[in-house]
Amino acid sequence: MSTLTIRLPDDKHERLKALARSNAISVNKLMDELATVALANFDARVRFETRAARGNPKRALKLLDKLDHAD
């Protein structure tokens, strides 16, 4: 496990402590959960961009048209 030191304005630190307290978790756990969400978002974006780069725009538009006309 690694240690990460960050510098935050005091008011932001206090708000993060209040947020952690309201969720009954430590600031450390809160930061771990926030990092997990950020990484999941990043991974999803990378997967989307990778698939989009390999995709066929004409085929995609045809599929969307098909969905628009489906009842």
Side-chain angles (χ1 to χ4, degrees):
M1 181 142 327
S2 296
T3 300
L4 175 67
T5 302
I6 60 171
R7 290 181 186 7
L8 295 172
D10 290 338
D11 61 323
K12 190 176 289 185
H13 181 231
E14 290 304 317
R15 292 179 67 203
L16 286 169
K17 287 196 305 188
L19 176 59
R21 195 171 31 254
S22 74
N23 287 298
I25 59 175
S26 66
V27 173
N28 189 65
K29 179 65 176 168
L30 174 66
M31 297 311 296
D32 182 47
E33 290 179 4
L34 291 172
T36 298
V37 170
L39 290 170
N41 287 337
F42 175 73
D43 291 344
R45 190 181 82 216
V46 168
R47 279 193 309 274
F48 175 82
E49 290 171 350
T50 300
R51 293 185 71 151
R54 292 188 306 208
N56 180 328
K58 287 183 183 181
R59 182 168 178 245
L61 291 172
K62 274 180 135 176
L63 289 171
L64 289 174
D65 283 340
K66 187 176 181 180
L67 287 172
D68 282 342
H69 295 98
D71 288 320

